[in-house]
Structures are given as structure tokens and as C-alpha cells.
Amino acid sequence: MPAWQDEPVSQAAADRRSRGKDRATALSENQNLLAEQRRALILDEVRRRGGVRVNELTRRLNVSDMTIRRDLDALARQGVIEKVHGGAVPVVEASTHEPGFEVKSALELSAKEDIARTAAAMARPGSAIALSGGTTTYALARHLLDIPNLTVVTNSVRVADVFHDAQRPAAGRGARPGTATATVVLTGGVRTPSDSLVGPVADRAIDSLHFDLLFLGVHGISAEAGLSTPNLAEAETNRRFVRSARRVVVVADHTKWGTVGLSSFATLDEVDTFVTDAGLAPGAREEIGEHLPGLVVAGDSPEETVSPG
């Protein structure tokens, strides 16, 4: 072959190889994307149902056993599921484990802000509201500062500090500009790892009061166990809160759905509204809608939100 023909032939071959690599890269990226979507669906199903079988997933997702097993291996390496014979179950923390306030404060920050902003719009000027302990109610407290003439009862040291610090005179300048004053009642009791006050003293204080609205943070919420917490004393104090409120609004991010603590303190039919974030899976939304009169998903458009009953 003449030497002058070498370069065009080599260039054409190089172009074909390049196009082949581009197609392979695109295919690989598409497969990775599909795998991520598939694994998200698998994880949602595991958490919603409490476990899945390989043969069920192969039929539902129309892929091979080996593909599903690789997906389960990947999810197990991430620590979000546990493989068992023939399938997988969710990784569940001990029902008595109670993380401290600082640990929980670093989790789901944007979700908590979305929830707090949405829930604050439910409070009316001049009303008596209760806020339980928790990092989501702590975020909510900051959004309630501008609502005038609230009477706030809380067993959360952190929530009480939000109102106290906002109203404290700063270098003789008075309270924070634009901050509405609130009457804040902090219950007594024994302090928990989440900086809530619980026990007989808190219980007696709550029993003597009546609230227009209760904003309730939870450790876990599920269709079977209802609202739950790892702390037995906190469960009893929360039970008193629910009993004393005309309207109960649970504020919790999507990771709390399906979590079950040691002690249940309320059923879902005792809850009027559940305010959560857009991370809540579609399957969970459907299940919650079957048990609760009101589901509000912060960040969703109005047509995607189930209005309070």
C-alpha cells in the first residue's frame, strides 16, 4: 500500500475507535444512572416493607438475579441494608439508642429548615402552642419568633433558649428588631440526651395546661408503631402533650418514617397533620395518606401535597 494512504486509513480507524469509546462511555454512564435509580427503588421498598426477596425484585424491575444481587451487595456496602438468605432487610438501630442533640443537629439540615418554615405558617397570633424537644422543633422555634403574642410551652431547653436569646436586651439596644414577644413556659424535669425535660415534674405541669396547637418532634413514626421514642420517660411526657392539645402537628424529616423506638406514645389517628420534606418516597406518601388526615410535604407544589383534613 502506498505510503500516502497510511495516514487517512489510520485516521479513519482512530475516528472509529474514538466513536466506539464515546458510545461505550455513554452506555456505561447510562448503566450507572439506571443502577442508581434501581437501587434507590430497592432501598425504598426495603424500608417501606421491612424486607424484600430477590425473586420479587427481579420480576418487578425486569432484570436478572445477578443484577439484583449486585445491587444488594452495593447497598450493603453502603450500610443501608443487611443481606439475608434470599433477600434483604433494613439496617435498624437499636430501639433504645438515643443520639444526643449535637449529633442530630447535623443531620438533614435543609430538610429541617423547609419543614420549620412550612410548619410555622400554621401558628396563629395570640395562640397557646406547645413545642416538644428535638432538633426540628428547635429549627421551628426560630421561625416562630415574629408571630405576635404567642404563649409557648416547651420541655426543650434549646427551644426556650431561642425565645430567651431573641428577647434578651443586647448592649442596651433592647430585643432583636422585628421580634415579637412571647410568653415562654419551660417545664421542669430531668434532662435527656436530646436536651428535653421529662419525668413526673414535666408531666404534672403539662397536665394542667391546654394548647391550641402542639408541634411534636419524634424519633420515629410508622404505620404499625405510630409515634415512638427510645426514652421511656420522654414517651410519657409526649403522651401528656398529645392529650393536652386540640391539634397535633408532627414535624419530622423523611428519615423518621419507618423508624421505631422502644416506646410508642401515640397512634397515627391521634395526629392531625404530618409535616415532612420532599425526600419522602412516593410509596411512603401513599401509606401515610391512608392513615393520616393531613400530610404536608415542604417543598412540594400544592397539588402534590395532601391537605389537612
Side-chain angles (χ1 to χ4, degrees):
M1 180 180 293
W4 58 268
Q5 290 184 348
D6 285 350
E7 187 169 353
V9 171
S10 299
Q11 184 61 50
D15 288 344
R16 287 195 298 272
R17 285 196 299 270
S18 177
R19 287 194 296 272
K21 288 179 181 178
D22 288 344
R23 284 194 297 270
T25 299
L27 179 60
S28 175
E29 289 175 351
N30 187 50
Q31 288 173 335
N32 287 337
L33 177 61
L34 291 174
E36 290 173 5
Q37 293 172 331
R38 195 171 57 244
R39 289 165 190 171
L41 289 172
I42 292 171
L43 181 58
D44 177 33
E45 192 74 0
V46 170
R47 287 174 169 169
R48 187 175 66 85
R49 296 174 50 195
V52 293
R53 299 188 64 81
V54 171
N55 57 7
E56 294 173 345
L57 293 173
T58 58
R59 288 194 300 270
R60 179 174 177 181
L61 300 176
N62 195 29
V63 293
S64 68
D65 281 11
M66 289 303 299
T67 297
I68 293 297
R69 293 184 190 281
R70 284 195 294 269
D71 289 338
L72 296 181
D73 286 337
L75 291 169
R77 286 194 298 271
Q78 294 172 24
V80 292
I81 66 162
E82 180 181 350
K83 290 182 67 181
V84 295
H85 182 68
V89 295
V91 172
V92 180
E93 290 182 335
S95 61
T96 55
H97 176 63
E98 183 178 10
F101 187 92
E102 299 300 338
V103 172
K104 291 190 289 186
S105 291
L107 304 175
E108 303 295 334
L109 292 176
S110 62
K112 289 173 183 175
E113 277 301 305
D114 289 342
I115 293 166
R117 191 178 304 108
T118 300
M122 299 179 181
R124 296 291 176 261
S127 58
I129 67 171
L131 278 79
S132 73
T135 53
T136 307
T137 51
Y138 174 71
L140 171 58
R142 296 194 295 271
H143 289 272
L144 294 173
L145 291 174
D146 295 322
I147 299 178
N149 303 320
L150 289 179
T151 297
V152 178
V153 178
T154 185
N155 69 324
S156 168
V157 175
R158 301 286 187 136
V159 167
D161 282 346
V162 169
F163 289 97
H164 179 70
D165 291 345
Q167 296 173 11
R168 178 188 298 159
R173 295 191 300 273
R176 192 188 74 179
T179 299
T181 59
T183 300
V184 181
V185 178
L186 178 64
T187 70
V190 178
R191 198 163 180 163
T192 70
S194 59
D195 283 348
S196 300
L197 300 177
V198 299
V201 174
D203 297 345
R204 283 195 296 271
I206 294 165
D207 277 343
S208 64
L209 301 170
H210 305 280
F211 313 115
D212 299 309
L213 180 61
L214 165 64
F215 290 113
L216 186 63
V218 296
H219 171 83
I221 176 171
S222 72
E224 296 77 17
L227 314 183
S228 62
T229 173
N231 189 301
L232 291 173
E234 186 169 40
E236 183 57 34
T237 298
N238 284 345
R239 206 170 283 127
R240 308 298 179 97
F241 267 133
V242 171
R243 189 184 304 161
S244 298
R246 293 189 182 91
R247 185 181 175 201
V248 177
V249 176
V250 170
V251 288
D253 69 74
H254 69 279
T255 65
K256 304 297 181 67
W257 178 253
T259 298
V260 178
L262 175 65
S263 179
S264 295
F265 57 86
T267 60
L268 292 189
D269 60 13
E270 294 178 272
V271 176
D272 296 290
T273 306
F274 177 28
V275 184
T276 187
D277 65 283
L280 189 69
R285 299 186 192 199
E286 293 176 9
E287 188 172 8
I288 293 168
E290 295 173 0
H291 293 88
L292 283 175
L295 171 63
V296 177
V297 181
D300 270 359
S301 58
E303 60 270 19
E304 294 177 287
T305 296
V306 179
S307 299

